[in-house]
Amino acid sequence: MRRDDPDVYHVGPPPTLPASPEVVIAALGPLVTEARRRRIDEVVARRKLSVVPVLEGLTDPHNGSAVLRSADAFGLQQVHVVAGPHGFLAAHRVSKGTQRWLDVIQHDSSEACLAQLEERGYRVVVAAMGGELCPEDLRDIDRLAVVFGNEHAGASEVMRSGADATCAVPMIGFVESLNVSVAAAITLYVAAAHRPGDLDSAERAELTARFLLATVRDGERVVREYRGDR
């Protein structure tokens, strides 16, 4: 997909709540249907930080969008990004707004990304041809960050040298590699599907507030009016 396609957009950081999570929930909770509120609660309860995808230098907006959708589908809350020279781009037709439900955390450099992941206790595994691990091996890593590099060059030398291991999806056909978004979907599903939600109570409250804000039309205005009535 071309970067100048009108469907392409820059993915920004997670939104800031206009008030405390408790106030947002009190203001917006009564405005959604019971079914929608149950769905939000179910999704929040299963969200996890034990697995995070890391996207380094992706250039095709289609690929970035597809990984966002996979992350949301498999209950992953954070996606870490080291953007290329054009920033982190996605496509509306592919992402379907999933960036609203995720924390897209962007880093200025691969070094900064690695440092933050290490500080947070993640074991970093780079997806690469000939990797010594397969997706099933990732299931038992308590805190896992999987790096998916540039479509043509793969992960940078900085990422490779700073990683704890490499992994690859085993293939038994004639092809030697998969599209990065396909490899990411397979790897993330296998690594994360069995894991329970692991957010603490404060994280769950903030996420519930954010999801309500993304659901209710003019939610920020409603919250402001609610605060003014108190």
Side-chain angles (χ1 to χ4, degrees):
M1 174 176 285
R2 292 172 56 90
R3 290 188 292 270
D4 59 358
D5 189 298
D7 193 55
V8 169
Y9 64 99
H10 283 269
V11 179
T16 301
L17 292 177
S20 70
E22 293 74 19
V23 169
V24 174
I25 293 169
L28 302 183
L31 303 182
V32 300
T33 65
E34 291 185 10
R36 183 60 176 176
R37 182 57 193 270
R38 283 197 302 271
R39 180 59 177 161
I40 289 174
D41 290 344
E42 289 169 358
V43 171
V44 169
R46 299 188 66 179
R47 277 304 211 236
K48 56 187 72 79
L49 295 172
S50 58
V51 177
V52 296
V54 180
L55 307 181
E56 186 193 31
L58 296 189
T59 59
D60 188 338
H62 178 281
N63 289 327
S65 304
V67 177
L68 293 180
R69 286 185 70 172
S70 293
D72 176 60
F74 306 146
L76 312 183
Q77 185 54 37
Q78 290 186 356
V79 177
H80 290 252
V81 173
V82 181
H86 301 283
F88 181 48
L89 303 176
H92 289 289
R93 289 193 300 270
V94 181
S95 66
K96 300 296 186 182
T98 49
Q99 75 282 351
R100 295 176 298 165
W101 317 116
L102 301 169
D103 298 337
V104 179
I105 300 174
Q106 301 203 34
H107 302 272
D108 294 333
S109 66
S110 299
E111 291 88 347
C113 180
L114 282 167
Q116 186 175 122
L117 292 171
E118 181 180 353
E119 181 181 350
R120 296 182 180 182
Y122 286 97
R123 185 178 178 192
V124 178
V125 177
V126 170
M129 290 179 59
E132 66 262 32
L133 304 179
C134 64
E136 287 82 1
D137 297 324
L138 308 180
R139 290 173 172 167
D140 297 326
I141 298 176
D142 289 339
R143 289 178 68 80
L144 169 69
V146 188
V147 180
F148 302 96
N150 176 267
E151 293 91 341
H152 305 292
S156 69
E157 183 57 36
V158 170
M159 279 292 187
R160 286 174 176 267
S161 62
D164 298 288
T166 58
C167 71
V169 177
M171 287 172 283
I172 57 175
F174 291 107
V175 298
E176 296 181 351
S177 65
L178 295 171
N179 176 277
V180 63
S181 63
V182 175
I186 294 170
T187 303
L188 295 174
Y189 175 77
V190 173
H194 69 292
R195 301 176 189 242
D198 57 22
L199 303 186
D200 63 29
S201 59
E203 291 166 335
R204 291 196 299 272
E206 181 170 353
L207 205 56
T208 299
R210 280 179 45 194
F211 288 177
L212 286 169
L213 198 64
T215 299
V216 176
R217 186 174 181 178
D218 295 328
E220 290 195 16
R221 177 185 59 78
V222 174
V223 172
R224 290 195 300 269
E225 292 178 354
Y226 176 86
R227 294 182 68 185
D229 290 341
R230 291 183 63 83

